[in-house]
Amino acid sequence: PQALVVKGTTASELTAGLGHYFRYFCNMTIGWPRGGGSNVFVPEIWPSIGSTPFAKHRNTPFSYLMNVCTHSYSLVWYDWKMWEQFIDWMALSGVNLMLAMTGQEQIQYKVFRALGLNDKDVRNWFNGPALLTWSRGQNEYGSGLLGPLPKSWMKDQWDLQRMILPRLRSLGITGQLPGFQGNVPVQLKALYNDTNMTEAGGTAWMDSLDPLFGRIADLWMQTLIEDFDTDHWYQLDGYFDGGTAPWFRSRLRAGAGRSTKQKQERDAAFGSTTNIKQDEMAYRRAKAAYEGLSRTDPDAVWSYQGWQMIGWNSLDEAATLKGFVDGAPSDKFVIIDMTTHGEGQWRQFNGSSFFGAQFVWTALHNFGGTDGMKGDLSKVNRIPFDSPKEANV
């Protein structure tokens, strides 16, 4: 019988090609348990693809998966067997970029203990497993919920991450590790007499220009890479949306409540997005935040969630975003476009396309517990090709 040959430029392309063959030529189902599971089998005769070679190509460099919340809402309950099946599904589906957040509490614990906090201060600051998203940085006033986090659980997750990452890497999947975002247990404020930290419940938020921010970022990165190695991608965004932080002149989300007429007037005021000037302080803070990665890893790529910018539409907000974009090297800052229906955040600020920043276009298709796959399929097919030619997608 004729042998089946799968060719590709990376391990991810090879596994994606195999997945396509399984699904479309062998009529197999490769799915998630909650979605009906898989139907994988060994056929008596492997189907031929015909006399003409079949080729598929990526339209963009990365096929991205994951929201930070998924890790504490779902994946904290996965054991290795479940992770192994999940990673295989990713590989066979062509996913080559994902959030790799497991085990980070053990990293944070080591860092904060080295900075002088006691065991109780650190573990009481962490939330319980189902609510870890909030103590990890997505909400500056939500820590210490359903804790303290057991040491045994932190160590088990750390061990699990050391199995997950080699498996991802062997299949050509890049894992984004968590970088230091500037949120720390509030006790650190008194310990270092740092008046520039903002108190918000059990959490203190730091300005990236604070020398202590840089010290913590360096220790964090050294510990992270020593324990997990690295694929050079890091996810961090938290303090950008600190809201009550002392370094913001006003709340950046204030524009979200404007009327339609006011928004139309504001859009008209933008004119060409090339006229938008960067906010100098946003630029300096982004530069400092990126240097918190690059001092330890000169090849660091900063992955930033666009969810932070939902509702932004003012000139001040546009200038702040442009400052962040300009603050990191152009090939080292990537925005995750995160609208709930795939409309495209790049359309903000009169179609700015994030002022030239690289971005990954995504949709939170199951946002708010909506886990059915339904909608206008023609729109789903159009979305990846809808951005302007000059967009850096």
Side-chain angles (χ1 to χ4, degrees), residues 41-56:
F41 51 87
V42 178
E44 292 184 12
I45 300 176
W46 289 97
S48 170
I49 65 169
S51 59
T52 304
F54 179 83
K56 283 181 68 68

Side-chain angles (χ1 to χ4, degrees), residues 23 30-32 65 85-93 95:
R23 289 182 172 102
I30 304 166
W32 292 5
L65 179 74
Q85 292 174 343
F86 184 37
I87 293 170
D88 288 350
W89 173 87
M90 282 190 271
L92 292 169
S93 301
V95 172

Side-chain angles (χ1 to χ4, degrees), residues 62-67 95-99 176 336 360 362:
F62 294 105
S63 298
Y64 174 84
L65 179 74
M66 207 68 71
N67 179 353
V95 172
N96 64 354
L97 183 64
M98 65 149 314
L99 292 177
Q176 295 186 13
I336 308 299
V360 176
T362 72

